[in-house]
């Protein structure tokens, strides 16, 4: 069977660059190993509640069958409700007719009442092995392993979402800067003037005039703020686009209608330079100091907003190369609109190198997040938070295990990035 | 070359202004009332305080001192419902409340009428009642007044008014006559005025922009000039000049940075060159792996593990776990103190150095490999020079330029790293100080540090770009920009 497969792949020689890259990637043992371990991490993150929980997965109590972990999910979603009595039930202290427990029998916020203070994993814990704190307990007598399992979820989510934000900004600005460069975006003088004057007005209508709506939304919930901010942003862009279109009416006028190149690349590159010059951790720390409420959403948005220049630089570089290729020229001569050429023809070819930056970016976002929660612990289940418990020589296990988790995750994503880079562009291998 | 340098410097200016603008926006969004912070005010029941007039005077004076009475920017675009006299209301909370109500309702004269009448009501509630049982009612009526002053939300205002009027109408028992008839009348008048403002509201005014130009006497202009002069003003939390505070803590951060850069370059250059010379050998592979692992190790983890094992008496208490000197060592002879410092700095130096060492040695290896494949190295080899001389004298010298200029790229991570590492090792440098600023909510010092380090990093990049151009005449601006 295996032989046959190998034979098949040899017969069908890969043709496109992408297929070749895929093949190279599959042959790279380290990268395959990294992918494999990352999927384990993702599984841990997804099933964290089934791996470490103070409630059993399955239990029979007073003749009734319960699935407490799943029930918790449904309860949070509002689909089904716990009975008032059951919600406060301490499952560990109750006589259960039958029960299947998670491998780690401690919740992320559960302080072991039998312990006061931290315990090393090698200390005598005086419990059966099933209830052992395998990696010791924190200063607040929480189970280290449980917090680490739940921290996986936080780290991976923030890493990936932060890169999502960074990717959106970076790819958008990078493809605009790269495709248009300093010379290809030619707009008439009147349009330039209109846009220049229009920016304060667009800002006024999008943010000033709607400030009360935004304020009310902020008091309502974090998601409604996001929605309203998005609406404001759409208004902002919409007004500028409308002004741009309006300016086209004047294209026949001799002086004002003359088209001049708009140095988009220069402007956006300056912005990227500015953002990349800021020390990331310092920006996060400053924003943190100014924020009233610190939520994970704020953290990943903030990390996304400071890490886009990496993706921007790559996209721009790729676009600068692609825009001079013949098939793009052909598309232009066919009269296709720029937006279509960019999205449908140029961007897909620029995507694979960007993938590499994504992997590296996830690694550094995870690092930034853990550094932040290390500096400013706020009683959440994260790796950085656990590490901060080790400050002042409180116990080696508090330093070793969570740090090792960060190290492994960061290394895996870095290895993945290297593997992708080697597969996509073997020349770049030093 | 001169053209390139000139262009590069000119492009530095907008970036600099961008940084300053960014930090200014941050100061605008800093929570709390800066004037109150500076005055050390805790209570905010001014309206009914005995010293209200004096406190208000102090507030106004301080506000002027901090330039907060000036308009924010060169120009402003506000909804036409917001009057231009708004900035004259000194107390921030009151100003924000009135602005909010103006934005919500429109038609300023009515709103201003309402807010001005609050002071009249306060006048009626000036005297403390002799009857102790009525004191509670009197107090709550006054507290509502302070609340009203700071509220710009119609729903809130209506509720507060209803509550206080209901309270004032009945006294202790429902059948009692109203205990404060004059205050009640004043409150009813206030409610009427508010209802009037609501009835005459013009929400459409919010959609008409009004532009005003303020000239150079504005907050941003002053801020920009101060930042360019590196004058960050006084911190209200510490009462000291922020600049001198930063300068006082700078030495330790500089010392640590220089030590770490010295060691990083000192180790990574020979290592990188050897790896490049023996490319593909076992040595190369092992160093590559080590360097890769070192690069992925989180700094704060390395620091903590070092402390946990090498600085902990339970394991190997070889090194002190925090601080830079033994307490009381100030009186020791100089060389003893030096030894003491060195002993304290071993662990921090390792933690500071390894990451940049990994980064630099990769760069050195890459640059040397490229130089070794050039024609001139082949010529050197053909002359019969030994491999060592070729690598060090010919290849390395030429790869030195990119290696030296990556120094600028190290700056952000050095500054960022200092915050974390100085916290862990308790080194009394800038990073530790910033951490303390944040803990004491000293926002202006944090922002000052943010601005200063961003400007330094930008200047570093500028300098390295210029150096690059001076050393390597092939570089031109367009060439570098477009690849």
């Amino acid at each position: 069977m295996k032989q046959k497969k190998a034979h098949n792949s040899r017969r069908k020689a890969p043709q496109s660059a992408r297929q070749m890259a895929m093949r190279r990637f599959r042959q790279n043992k380290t990268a395959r190993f990294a992918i494999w371990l990352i999927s384990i991490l993702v599984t841990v993150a997804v099933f964290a509640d089934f791996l470490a929980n103070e409630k059993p997965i399955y239990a029979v109590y007073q003749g009734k069958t319960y699935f407490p972990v799943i029930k918790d999910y449904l309860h949070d979603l509002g689909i089904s409700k716990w009975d008032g009595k059951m919600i406060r039930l301490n499952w560990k202290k109750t006589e259960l007719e039958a029960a299947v427990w998670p491998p780690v029998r401690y919740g992320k916020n559960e302080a072991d009442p039998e312990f006061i203070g931290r315990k090393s994993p090698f200390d005598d814990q005086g419990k059966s092995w099933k209830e052992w704190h395998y990696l010791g307990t924190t200063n607040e007598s929480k189970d280290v392993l449980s917090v680490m399992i739940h921290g996986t979820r936080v780290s991976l989510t923030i890493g990936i979402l932060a890169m999502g934000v960074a990717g959106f900004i970076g790819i958008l600005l990078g493809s605009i800067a790269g495709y248009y460069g300093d010379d290809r975006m030619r707009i008439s003088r009147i349009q330039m003037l209109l846009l220049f004057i229009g920016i304060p007005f667009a800002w006024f209508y999008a943010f000033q005039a709607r400030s009360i709506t935004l304020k009310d939304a902020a008091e309502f919930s974090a998601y409604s703020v996001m929605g309203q901010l998005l609406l404001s942003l759409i208004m902002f862009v919409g007004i500028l686009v409308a002004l741009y279109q309006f300016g086209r009416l004047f294209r026949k006028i001799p002086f004002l209608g003359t088209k001049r190149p708009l140095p988009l690349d220069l402007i956006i590159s300056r912005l990227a330079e500015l953002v990349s010059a800021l020390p990331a951790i310092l920006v996060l720390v400053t924003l943190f100091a100014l924020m009233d409420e610190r939520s994970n959403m704020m953290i990943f948005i903030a990390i996304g907003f400071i890490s886009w220049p990496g993706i921007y630089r790559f996209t721009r570089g790729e676009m600068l190369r692609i825009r001079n290729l013949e098939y793009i020229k052909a598309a232009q001569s066919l009269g296709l609109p720029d937006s279509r050429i960019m999205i449908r023809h140029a961007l897909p070819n620029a995507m694979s190198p960007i993938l590499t930056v994504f992997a590296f970016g996830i690694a550094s976002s995870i690092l930034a997040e853990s550094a932040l929660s290390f500096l400013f612990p706020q009683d959440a289940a994260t790796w950085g938070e656990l590490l901060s418990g080790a400050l002042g020589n409180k116990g080696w296990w508090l330093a070793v295990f969570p740090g090792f988790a960060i190290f492994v995750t960061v290394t895996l994503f870095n290895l993945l990035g290297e593997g992708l880079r080697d597969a996509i562009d073997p020349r770049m291998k030093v | 070359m001169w053209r390139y340098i000139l262009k590069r410097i000119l492009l530095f200016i907008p970036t600099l202004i961008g940084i300053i603008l960014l930090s200014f926006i941050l100061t605008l969004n800093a929570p709390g009332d800066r004037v109150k912070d500076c005055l050390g005010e805790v209570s905010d029941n001014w309206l009914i305080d005995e010293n209200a007039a004096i406190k208000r005077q102090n507030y106004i004076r301080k506000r002027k001192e901090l330039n907060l009475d000036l308009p924010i920017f060169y120009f402003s675009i506000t909804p036409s419902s917001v009057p231009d006299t708004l900035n004259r209301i000194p107390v921030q909370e009151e100003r924000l409340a009135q602005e909010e109500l103006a934005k919500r309702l429109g038609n300023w004269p009515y709103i201003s009428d309402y807010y001005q009448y609050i002071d009249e009501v306060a006048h009626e509630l000036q005297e403390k009642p002799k009857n102790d049982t009525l004191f509670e009612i009197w107090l709550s009526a006054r507290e509502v007044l302070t609340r009203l002053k700071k509220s710009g939300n119609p729903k809130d205002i209506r509720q507060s008014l209803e509550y206080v009027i209901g309270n004032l109408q009945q006294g202790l028992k429902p059948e009692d006559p109203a205990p404060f008839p004059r205050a009640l009348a004043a409150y009813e008048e206030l409610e009427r005025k508010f209802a009037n403002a609501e009835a005459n509201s013009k929400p459409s005014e919010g959609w008409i922009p009004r532009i005003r130009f303020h000239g150079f006497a504005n907050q941003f202009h002053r801020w920009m000039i101060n930042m360019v002069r590196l004058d960050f003003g006084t911190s209200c939390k510490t009462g000291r000049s922020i600049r001198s505070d930063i300068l006082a803590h700078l030495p330790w951060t500089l010392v640590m940075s220089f030590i770490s850069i010295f060691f990083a370059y000192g180790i990574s250059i020979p290592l990188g060159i050897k790896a490049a010379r023996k490319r593909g050998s076992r040595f190369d592979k092992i160093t590559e792996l080590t360097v890769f692992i070192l690069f992925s190790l989180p700094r704060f983890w390395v620091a903590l593990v070092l402390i946990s094992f090498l600085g902990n008496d339970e394991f190997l208490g070889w090194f002190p776990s925090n601080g830079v000197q033994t307490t009381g060592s100030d009186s020791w002879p100089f060389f003893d103190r030096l030894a003491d410092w060195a002993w304290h700095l071993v662990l921090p130096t390792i933690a500071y150095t390894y990451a940049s060492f990994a980064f630099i040695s990769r760069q050195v290896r890459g640059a040397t490999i490229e130089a070794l494949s050039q024609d001139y190295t082949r010529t050197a080899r053909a002359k019969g020079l030994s491999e060592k001389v070729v690598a060090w004298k010919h290849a390395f010298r030429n790869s030195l330029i990119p290696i030296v200029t990556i120094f600028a790229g190290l700056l952000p991570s050095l500054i960022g790293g200092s915050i974390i590492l100085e916290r862990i090792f308790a080194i009394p440098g800038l990073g530790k100080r910033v951490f303390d600023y944040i803990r004491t909510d000293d926002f202006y010092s944090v922002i000052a540090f943010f601005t200063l380090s961003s400007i330094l990093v930008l200047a570093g990049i500028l300098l390295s770009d210029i150096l690059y151009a001076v050393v390597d005449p092939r570089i031109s601006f367009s060439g570098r920009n477009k690849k």
Side-chain angles (χ1 to χ4, degrees):
Chain A
M1 187 67 193
K2 235 180 189 174
Q3 260 183 344
K4 202 174 177 188
K5 237 185 189 170
H7 180 72
N8 268 349
S9 69
R10 209 176 301 132
R11 198 160 50 97
K12 280 185 204 157
Q15 282 153 3
S16 75
R18 192 164 300 163
Q19 277 169 327
M20 257 152 68
M22 280 291 278
R23 201 186 52 164
R24 271 195 297 267
F25 187 77
R26 257 185 257 122
Q27 282 168 351
N28 186 340
K29 268 189 202 146
T30 340
R32 251 179 25 221
F33 179 65
I35 281 270
W36 193 67
L37 282 181
I38 287 173
S39 22
I40 292 182
L41 277 180
V42 172
T43 319
V44 169
V46 171
F47 294 105
D49 289 321
F50 293 91
L51 292 171
N53 209 320
E54 70 261 43
K55 292 178 178 171
I57 298 170
Y58 161 84
V60 181
Y61 172 58
Q62 292 177 346
K64 273 190 179 169
T65 310
Y66 290 97
F67 294 93
V69 179
I70 297 174
K71 185 94 171 173
D72 267 355
Y73 280 121
L74 298 179
H75 181 85
D76 287 347
L77 288 172
I79 296 171
S80 119
K81 280 251 177 290
W82 278 111
D83 295 335
K85 179 168 59 95
M86 296 295 291
I87 200 163
R88 259 171 277 116
L89 182 75
N90 187 342
W91 293 87
K92 276 180 204 155
K93 290 273 181 288
T94 335
E95 286 284 319
L96 301 171
E97 283 106 74
V100 175
W101 284 89
V104 180
R105 302 188 172 190
Y106 295 94
K108 56 178 171 178
N109 289 320
E110 185 198 14
D112 190 340
E114 292 164 35
F115 279 24
I116 293 169
R118 56 182 176 273
K119 275 269 162 61
S120 144
F122 299 133
D123 282 350
D124 181 21
Q125 302 189 348
K127 293 174 177 249
S128 81
W129 65 272
K130 285 178 192 162
E131 295 184 338
W132 207 274
H133 296 287
Y134 301 104
L135 298 185
T137 58
T138 67
N139 300 319
E140 297 86 30
S141 71
K142 292 179 192 167
D143 186 73
V144 171
L145 184 56
S146 170
V147 178
M148 272 174 65
I149 288 172
H150 287 272
T152 316
R153 183 182 277 182
V154 179
S155 286
L156 288 185
T157 326
I158 288 188
I160 291 166
L161 288 179
M163 278 338 270
V165 174
F168 178 76
I169 305 173
I171 291 176
L172 182 75
L173 294 182
S175 41
I176 290 175
Y179 182 80
Y180 287 111
D182 278 342
D183 47 354
R184 235 178 240 181
M185 181 70 168
R186 293 174 67 84
I187 67 173
S188 62
R189 288 199 172 100
I190 182 86
Q191 278 171 325
M192 236 183 260
L193 192 72
L194 278 175
L195 286 182
F196 188 71
I197 299 172
I199 287 171
F201 282 94
W203 176 79
F204 168 77
Y205 281 109
F207 297 102
Q208 266 284 77
R210 302 187 73 242
S211 62
I212 295 295
T213 323
L214 288 171
K215 193 182 167 195
D216 288 344
E219 276 160 23
F220 190 65
S221 81
Y223 291 99
S224 63
V225 179
M226 294 311 292
Q228 291 293 347
L229 274 178
L230 201 67
L231 204 66
S232 281
L233 214 63
I234 292 170
M235 268 179 85
F236 185 81
V237 176
I239 291 171
L240 290 183
V241 169
L243 280 174
Y244 175 80
Q245 296 295 351
F246 177 69
R248 285 174 72 161
L249 297 177
F250 302 95
R251 59 176 177 259
K252 293 277 162 58
I253 301 172
F255 179 74
L256 290 176
T258 322
K259 288 200 167 180
R260 304 288 304 160
L262 185 68
L264 273 177
D265 185 27
L266 190 78
I267 297 168
I268 303 176
S269 290
R270 253 358 66 187
L271 190 68
E273 186 186 275
L274 192 150
V275 176
S276 60
L278 307 174
I281 200 76
L282 183 61
V283 179
L284 287 178
V285 158
T286 310
L287 286 179
F288 236 54
L290 301 181
M291 261 187 245
D292 296 339
E293 232 174 287
R294 297 157 188 183
S295 63
N296 284 342
M297 194 168 85
M298 291 315 243
I299 295 174
F300 81 72
I301 291 177
I303 296 178
F305 263 87
I306 49 175
S307 45
W308 62 265
I311 292 177
Y312 163 81
R313 223 169 285 137
F314 253 75
T315 320
R316 171 180 167 274
E318 278 299 298
M319 277 299 211
L320 276 175
R321 183 179 64 83
I322 290 171
R323 74 170 196 165
N324 289 327
L325 295 181
E326 263 152 26
Y327 79 98
I328 296 291
K329 295 222 165 103
Q332 280 166 345
S333 62
L334 279 174
L336 291 182
D338 284 336
S339 55
R340 194 183 156 86
I341 299 177
M342 246 196 283
I343 295 166
R344 292 288 294 277
H345 301 286
L347 207 52
N349 275 318
M351 265 341 259
S352 25
I354 299 167
L355 219 60
T356 317
V357 199
F358 248 85
F360 288 125
I362 290 176
S364 53
S365 305
I366 290 176
L367 208 55
E369 187 274 329
S370 45
L372 202 59
S373 58
F374 168 76
L375 279 176
F376 302 99
Q378 42 177 339
D379 206 31
T382 63
W383 293 338
E385 178 104 19
L386 269 181
L387 261 183
S388 74
L391 269 176
N393 248 334
K394 296 245 176 68
W396 58 269
W397 64 97
L398 291 176
V400 171
F401 300 125
F404 188 69
I406 299 172
F407 162 62
V408 167
T409 317
V410 169
T411 313
L412 285 179
F413 277 102
N414 278 338
L415 282 176
L416 178 68
E418 298 228 321
L420 283 172
R421 189 186 58 196
D422 293 349
I424 289 159
D425 192 354
R427 280 168 309 162
M428 279 165 80
K429 193 173 182 177
V430 185
Chain B
M1 185 183 81
W2 289 114
R3 251 184 86 105
Y4 167 74
I5 292 175
L6 189 70
K7 210 166 172 182
R8 191 65 195 76
I9 290 174
L10 281 180
L11 278 173
F12 174 66
I13 294 168
T15 333
L16 184 69
I17 294 176
I19 290 274
I20 293 173
L21 185 65
L22 195 70
S23 63
F24 181 67
I25 293 171
L26 286 178
T27 64
L28 288 183
N29 288 307
D33 182 345
R34 192 171 175 211
V35 186
K36 261 188 195 169
D37 277 355
C38 287
L39 288 171
E41 278 301 329
V42 196
S43 138
D44 49 16
N45 270 6
W46 287 15
L47 198 61
I48 45 188
D49 200 296
E50 288 94 60
N51 304 324
I54 302 169
K55 281 190 174 173
R56 223 181 163 79
Q57 281 305 313
N58 280 342
Y59 188 99
I60 293 170
R61 196 159 34 81
K62 193 79 197 174
R63 183 169 177 245
K64 207 173 168 69
E65 216 176 283
L66 295 170
N67 286 332
L68 292 174
D69 56 335
L70 298 174
I72 288 172
F73 203 62
Y74 297 102
F75 64 92
S76 62
I77 303 185
T78 50
S80 58
S81 50
V82 176
D84 50 352
T85 50
L86 199 67
N87 207 28
R88 288 188 208 143
I89 302 164
V91 183
Q92 184 180 318
E93 280 171 319
E94 294 173 16
R95 188 171 58 248
L96 290 179
Q98 302 197 16
E99 188 181 342
E100 188 187 336
L101 195 66
K103 276 184 183 169
R104 279 183 197 273
L105 296 182
N107 216 348
W108 175 249
Y110 289 95
I111 291 163
S112 149
D113 200 28
Y114 157 75
Y115 275 108
Q116 272 168 10
Y117 200 75
I118 294 180
D119 290 333
E120 301 284 318
V121 183
H123 194 68
E124 298 296 336
L125 281 166
Q126 208 59 265
E127 271 172 51
K128 216 185 241 182
K130 289 172 192 88
N131 186 346
D132 266 359
T133 49
L134 292 176
F135 183 71
E136 291 280 310
I137 300 176
W138 174 79
L139 198 68
S140 85
R142 281 169 53 127
E143 268 163 9
V144 167
L145 220 51
T146 350
R147 212 191 131 104
L148 284 176
K149 268 246 150 171
K150 292 183 211 154
S151 173
N153 191 336
K155 218 174 103 195
D156 249 26
I157 294 171
R158 232 176 291 128
Q159 271 174 2
S160 304
L161 281 172
E162 259 168 43
Y163 162 79
V164 74
I165 288 173
N167 253 4
L168 284 173
Q169 266 169 352
Q170 33 180 286
L172 284 178
K173 282 174 239 144
E175 62 274 14
D176 279 359
F180 304 102
R182 285 176 60 191
L184 178 64
Y187 257 121
E188 276 166 353
E189 177 63 23
L190 189 66
E191 196 182 27
R192 211 166 305 129
K193 283 194 188 290
F194 181 67
N196 219 354
E198 274 197 306
N200 290 301
S201 75
K202 282 188 196 160
S204 59
E205 277 185 354
W207 292 95
I208 303 165
R210 184 188 288 164
I211 309 170
R212 293 188 201 92
F213 290 93
H214 303 295
F216 288 113
N218 63 57
Q219 288 182 37
F220 175 69
H221 194 75
R222 299 265 165 100
W223 174 263
M224 191 161 70
I225 289 172
N226 286 340
M227 287 297 123
V228 170
R229 283 210 222 114
L230 297 182
D231 173 11
F232 303 107
T234 326
S235 157
C236 291
K237 297 277 174 176
T238 59
R240 282 197 303 268
S241 144
I242 295 178
R243 178 164 60 180
S244 64
D245 201 39
I246 286 179
L247 282 178
H249 289 88
L250 191 62
W252 274 114
T253 307
L254 281 183
V255 164
M256 288 319 298
S257 305
F258 277 117
I259 291 178
S260 80
I261 286 173
F262 176 77
F263 278 107
Y265 273 98
I267 300 170
S268 55
I269 288 177
L271 204 70
I273 289 176
K274 195 167 180 197
R277 266 175 59 201
K278 301 188 171 171
R279 193 180 172 192
S281 70
R282 192 126 130 257
F283 176 79
D284 183 28
K285 276 180 187 151
I286 291 172
T287 39
E288 195 182 346
L289 187 71
T290 328
V291 158
F292 183 78
I293 291 173
L294 282 180
F295 193 61
S296 301
L297 284 172
R299 277 182 186 210
F300 45 103
W301 185 42
V302 172
L304 280 173
V305 169
L306 283 175
I307 287 186
S308 299
F309 289 105
L310 297 181
N312 188 346
D313 293 334
E314 279 176 44
F315 296 96
L316 299 166
W318 292 351
F319 301 103
S321 62
N322 61 22
V324 288
Q325 56 186 43
T326 315
T327 29
S329 64
D330 284 341
S331 54
W332 294 4
F334 179 72
F335 284 104
D336 286 4
R337 271 169 68 197
L338 205 65
D340 187 48
W341 276 344
W343 184 50
H344 276 84
L345 291 184
V346 173
L347 295 184
T349 307
I350 298 172
Y352 266 86
T353 309
Y354 82 90
S356 28
F357 143 70
F359 176 66
I360 299 169
S361 65
R362 289 189 121 190
Q363 299 282 334
V364 173
R365 180 174 172 273
T368 315
I369 283 177
E370 200 180 329
L372 279 174
S373 65
Q374 298 289 324
D375 286 344
Y376 59 80
T377 25
R378 206 182 318 146
T379 316
R381 278 201 198 106
K383 267 195 321 195
L385 293 176
S386 75
E387 241 344 87
K388 212 168 196 167
V389 177
V390 172
W392 280 94
K393 270 204 150 168
H394 294 79
F396 171 62
R397 280 200 182 169
N398 280 292
S399 60
L400 200 63
I401 305 163
I403 294 167
V404 170
T405 47
I406 55 170
F407 176 72
L410 288 177
L411 273 176
S413 77
L414 278 177
I415 291 172
S418 76
I419 299 179
I420 299 174
L421 291 180
E422 285 179 11
R423 157 109 176 95
I424 296 175
F425 289 108
I427 298 170
L430 258 184
K432 176 93 181 10
R433 192 82 195 99
V434 170
F435 187 77
D436 295 337
Y437 288 149
I438 292 171
R439 277 212 294 212
T440 52
D441 282 349
D442 194 349
F443 305 116
Y444 284 82
S445 301
V446 178
I447 294 168
F449 178 71
F450 169 82
T451 321
L452 180 70
S453 41
S454 313
I455 292 177
L456 279 182
V457 169
L458 275 178
I461 294 172
L462 175 74
L463 200 70
S464 88
D465 273 5
I466 291 176
L467 266 179
Y468 219 105
V470 173
V471 180
D472 193 344
R474 284 167 299 182
I475 287 159
S476 72
F477 190 78
S478 52
R480 252 203 119 183
N481 212 24
K482 289 199 183 124
K483 278 198 178 167

